[in-house]
Amino acid sequence: MTETADDLSAPLGQDKPRRKRRLRLPFTAMQLLAVLLGLFLVTFAGFAIFNKDPLGGEPMTRIAIKPTDKAADERPAAASHGSDAKHDGKPDTKEVPKQAGEQKTITMIDGSTGARHDVVIGAGESGSDKGGTASAPPPVMAGINPKLLEKSRYGMIPVVADGLKPFNVYAADADRAKAATMPVVAIVIGGLGVGAAKTNDAIMRLPPAVTLAFTPYGADPGKLAERARAQRHEIFLQIPMEPYDFPDNDPGPQTLLTSLSADQNMDRLHWHLSRLQGYAGLANFMGARFIATEPAMQPIMREAAKRGLGFFDDGSSPRSIASQAAANQAMPFGKGDIAIDVVPTPTEIDRALNKLESTARERGIAVGTASALPVSIERIGAWTKTLSDRGILLVPLTTAMLKSKSS
């Protein structure tokens, strides 16, 4: 065995030190991070695919609930308010609201414009399927004929009595003899009741011949409707109906839906009818799909006719079957011709009003619809001041409906 000089000089009994080897991983830190990220994505995808949540991806609404005094809820309502404490049968909690005394603020998002607005369902009032039935129905408004009301599970709703119909009793005063010989224009301001400021603006700044249409929402729509009637405006009740892009575009709680049975929609209709009184008729609130669906719409029109109400179609749905359904029931009917503030600028509103005037001259009757935007109220108010000087008569909606029926 050959030994080198280094080997001979090395200390006896000691091995030659070995060089330490460095541990090398089979992958880099970046590769490890990529693997962990991939595992996370696979886990997330599996949860999304196999999760059984039926509301996954659906629009959600946050509701602020403020508890109220239980003692106040348990006190019986006065008889003059038409309290209906007992319910017939047990409600289906999936389709009929549950008992509650609470306040709710619901934010609705318009799917087409992205506009957001809050709807407040006050304490002791009924909300949607997410809400509850009223522990005490809304009070009967001043100036209401008690004979034209009957109890429902939600409160007082209109009815025909002694040959009197709400359409005739609550129609605003008008010179109908003059209206029969002149071109007439009716204007309906809709979406009222939500937002007391804009509602009061419409009530006080527009002439009494302008008809005001109230939604069933807001903290106290009955009080605002009562104020409108005190200013000699006739009022209509807007019924929320299903649009084509529901639920992305949601009219609000208790919306009438084509997917519900006739009985379920009737229950929802009665909830809306109980929210205020003194209206001459009903009108659609949105509802392009519902108002065009005959099996869904026909029962609603029959019920409105049975209760002595007229019906106003705002004209937003070209497929609407409301006119035919109203004719089948021989009930008063009207339809909007021109939406005045689709483009809410003074110039475009004035152009729409001029078109409305021209339509009245050509056909003898024209009906315009608008919202309670400040610019709309200002331009409509200015236009109506000189309308009679141009040979056009401004009339309530009921007068235009009666003239249309007789012509």
Side-chain angles (χ1 to χ4, degrees), residues 10-22:
L12 295 176
Q14 295 188 16
D15 295 332
K16 183 179 179 180
R18 297 180 180 179
R19 181 178 296 175
K20 294 183 179 180
R21 293 184 180 180
R22 296 177 62 185

Side-chain angles (χ1 to χ4, degrees), residues 149-225:
L149 293 174
E150 72 173 6
K151 288 183 180 180
S152 75
R153 58 174 301 186
Y154 300 114
M156 307 303 283
I157 61 178
V159 68
V160 176
D162 298 335
L164 298 176
K165 296 182 177 182
F167 178 84
N168 302 116
V169 172
Y170 300 129
D173 294 333
D175 188 342
R176 291 179 182 171
K178 192 175 182 180
T181 62
M182 290 180 62
V184 301
V185 162
I187 294 179
V188 181
I189 306 296
L192 301 179
V194 177
K198 71 174 184 178
T199 300
N200 283 320
D201 207 26
I203 292 171
M204 304 307 297
R205 294 183 59 190
L206 292 173
V210 172
T211 297
L212 305 181
F214 286 77
T215 68
Y217 306 130
D220 195 349
K223 182 179 293 185
L224 293 170

Side-chain angles (χ1 to χ4, degrees), residues 323-340:
S323 176
Q324 178 185 349
N328 293 340
Q329 301 299 325
M331 63 188 295
F333 176 79
K335 185 174 182 178
D337 297 304
I338 296 172
I340 296 170

Side-chain angles (χ1 to χ4, degrees), residues 55 57 65 87 142 151 168 213 217-218 229 257 269 330 342 345 348 378 391 398:
L55 299 179
I65 300 179
H87 292 167
K151 288 183 180 180
N168 302 116
Y217 306 130
R229 295 187 71 248
L257 302 174
L269 176 65
V342 173
T345 64
E348 292 302 319
E378 190 275 325
T398 53

Side-chain angles (χ1 to χ4, degrees), residues 9 26 30 34 52 59 106 136 155 177 208 216 245 260 268 271 288 316 339 351 360 383-384:
S9 61
M30 290 300 295
K52 300 298 182 181
I106 299 177
D245 52 353
L260 298 180
R268 292 184 173 208
W271 182 84
S316 60
R351 182 177 288 115
W383 179 76
T384 57

Side-chain angles (χ1 to χ4, degrees), residues 18-342:
R18 297 180 180 179
R19 181 178 296 175
K20 294 183 179 180
R21 293 184 180 180
R22 296 177 62 185
L23 180 64
R24 293 182 177 273
L25 296 175
F27 42 78
T28 65
M30 290 300 295
Q31 290 173 328
L32 176 62
L33 181 61
V35 170
L36 292 176
L37 181 59
L39 289 174
F40 173 78
L41 292 176
V42 169
T43 303
F44 180 81
F47 177 82
I49 293 172
F50 297 106
N51 181 35
K52 300 298 182 181
D53 182 9
L55 299 179
E58 290 295 323
M60 298 183 68
T61 301
R62 295 185 180 276
I63 301 176
I65 300 179
K66 299 178 181 179
T68 59
D69 182 7
K70 287 186 177 180
D73 288 340
E74 293 171 357
R75 286 195 293 269
S80 61
H81 285 181
S83 175
D84 185 17
K86 294 183 180 180
H87 292 167
D88 296 330
K90 296 181 179 179
D92 180 357
T93 56
K94 293 184 179 179
E95 298 299 342
V96 180
K98 293 179 283 187
Q99 194 89 9
E102 56 191 27
Q103 185 177 24
K104 304 171 188 171
T105 301
I106 299 177
T107 300
M108 293 190 293
I109 303 176
D110 190 311
S112 58
T113 65
R116 303 169 67 93
H117 61 280
D118 292 337
V119 173
V120 179
I121 305 296
E125 296 170 356
S126 176
S128 65
D129 293 347
K130 305 165 189 144
T133 57
S135 56
V140 175
M141 293 161 40
I144 302 303
N145 187 338
K147 292 182 179 180
L148 300 182
L149 293 174
E150 72 173 6
K151 288 183 180 180
S152 75
R153 58 174 301 186
Y154 300 114
M156 307 303 283
I157 61 178
V159 68
V160 176
D162 298 335
L164 298 176
K165 296 182 177 182
F167 178 84
N168 302 116
V169 172
Y170 300 129
D173 294 333
D175 188 342
R176 291 179 182 171
K178 192 175 182 180
T181 62
M182 290 180 62
V184 301
V185 162
I187 294 179
V188 181
I189 306 296
L192 301 179
V194 177
K198 71 174 184 178
T199 300
N200 283 320
D201 207 26
I203 292 171
M204 304 307 297
R205 294 183 59 190
L206 292 173
V210 172
T211 297
L212 305 181
F214 286 77
T215 68
Y217 306 130
D220 195 349
K223 182 179 293 185
L224 293 170
E226 190 174 64
R227 189 172 301 159
R229 295 187 71 248
Q231 294 297 318
R232 297 183 292 121
H233 293 279
E234 74 180 13
I235 64 173
F236 271 59
L237 174 65
Q238 291 181 289
I239 305 297
M241 298 178 177
E242 178 184 358
Y244 279 108
D245 52 353
F246 181 86
D248 292 332
N249 203 1
D250 189 351
Q254 298 286 61
T255 293
L256 305 190
L257 302 174
T258 57
S259 58
L260 298 180
S261 69
D263 288 342
Q264 290 169 330
N265 277 325
M266 199 62 62
D267 185 77
R268 292 184 173 208
L269 176 65
H270 287 179
W271 182 84
H272 295 302
L273 295 180
S274 72
R275 296 285 291 161
L276 48 100
Q277 302 95 33
Y279 42 88
L282 308 181
N284 62 299
F285 180 57
M286 300 169 61
R289 180 191 295 275
F290 193 92
I291 204 171
T293 306
E294 186 171 359
M297 192 65 182
Q298 287 282 9
I300 301 303
M301 297 296 281
R302 282 196 299 270
E303 183 72 2
K306 184 183 80 172
R307 298 190 174 278
L309 302 168
F311 189 86
F312 177 66
D313 178 349
D314 68 6
S316 60
S317 176
R319 300 179 182 178
S320 173
I321 59 95
S323 176
Q324 178 185 349
N328 293 340
Q329 301 299 325
M331 63 188 295
F333 176 79
K335 185 174 182 178
D337 297 304
I338 296 172
I340 296 170
D341 55 0
V342 173

